[in-house]
Amino acid sequence: SSSYTSTNIPVVLESIAELSKRFPKINLAVVGFENWQKNFQTNIDKLKIQNRVVFHSSMSHDELLELLLSSSIGIALYTNESNWTHFSDSMKVRDYLSCGLPVLMTNVMSTAQDIQKYRAGEIVEINQVAVTNAISKIFASEEKYAEYQKNALEVAKHYDINSILNSRLSAFLKN
């Protein structure tokens, strides 16, 4: 991992290479800084997954949500190398959930507790075997995937800002 990212991309790339044997249509979209691709190109070439990885530079939140809506899983392998991660809540993961994406993440932020509680994804250690197994588990069957997706949307409902504000306003007006 590297200081410019809080997510471990190399492990994800290794997992995509391994999973491509079982899931021939699997691919990875990475959203972030424009120079990310050159930082990982050697790994991508070595793993022979050039046709499976697409890098997107920064985009608007609306564009990101459009991309997420056409995705199948959200990955947030936070490394805990950034001092802000331990005490934070992942808005990226909240976006994944609101788009109905099962989430694969590390147990670094409090958001992971919600993923576990609602069974809306898998919490993993950062290593290729754990990541590969967790993604395989999510994609094990259409029924299993649908369950993760339903649970992801259930979590998202609990954190919808309008619902939160309406319930607080309701409680306030009753007093």
Side-chain angles (χ1 to χ4, degrees):
S1 59
S2 180
S3 60
Y4 60 82
T5 178
S6 60
T7 302
N8 191 308
I9 303 292
V11 167
V12 179
L13 295 174
E14 291 167 14
S15 291
I16 293 297
E18 182 64 29
L19 289 161
S20 67
K21 298 168 190 168
R22 182 169 170 200
F23 303 104
K25 293 183 181 179
I26 197 166
N27 59 61
L28 176 69
V30 181
V31 179
F33 304 109
E34 290 183 35
N35 66 342
W36 276 24
Q37 183 163 356
K38 69 180 180 193
N39 293 316
F40 301 109
Q41 196 61 54
T42 303
N43 290 25
I44 291 167
D45 292 343
K46 187 178 81 179
L47 295 166
K48 297 178 173 43
I49 54 172
Q50 300 88 333
N51 60 338
R52 297 186 182 280
V53 183
V54 177
F55 285 83
H56 300 272
S57 58
S58 298
M59 58 179 65
S60 72
H61 192 246
D62 287 345
E63 290 171 314
L64 175 64
L65 292 176
E66 280 296 316
L67 178 64
L68 294 179
L69 286 169
S70 67
S71 300
S72 300
I73 189 173
I75 300 175
L77 297 183
Y78 294 110
T79 62
N80 208 16
E81 288 180 12
S82 300
N83 58 5
W84 55 267
T85 53
H86 184 67
F87 297 104
S88 57
D89 185 80
S90 175
M91 286 307 298
K92 173 173 44 176
V93 170
R94 299 283 177 211
D95 283 344
Y96 293 161
L97 295 168
S98 70
C99 291
L101 299 181
V103 175
L104 178 68
M105 76 178 294
T106 47
N107 195 13
V108 172
M109 297 182 182
S110 63
T111 323
Q113 295 166 358
D114 292 333
I115 302 303
Q116 275 184 312
K117 177 181 174 184
Y118 289 93
R119 296 187 318 277
E122 293 292 322
I123 306 305
V124 295
E125 296 292 321
I126 300 178
N127 66 67
Q128 186 264 323
V129 172
V131 171
T132 301
N133 289 342
I135 293 172
S136 293
K137 186 174 178 182
I138 292 170
F139 291 141
S141 69
E142 286 184 34
E143 294 79 17
K144 188 72 174 162
Y145 181 82
E147 182 184 327
Y148 279 110
Q149 195 172 44
K150 179 176 131 295
N151 294 344
L153 290 168
E154 190 61 35
V155 178
K157 277 195 274 186
H158 289 282
Y159 294 98
D160 175 66
I161 190 65
N162 292 324
S163 297
I164 293 168
L165 293 175
N166 285 337
S167 71
R168 299 300 186 272
L169 182 60
S170 239
F172 177 76
L173 292 176
K174 287 179 183 174
N175 292 333

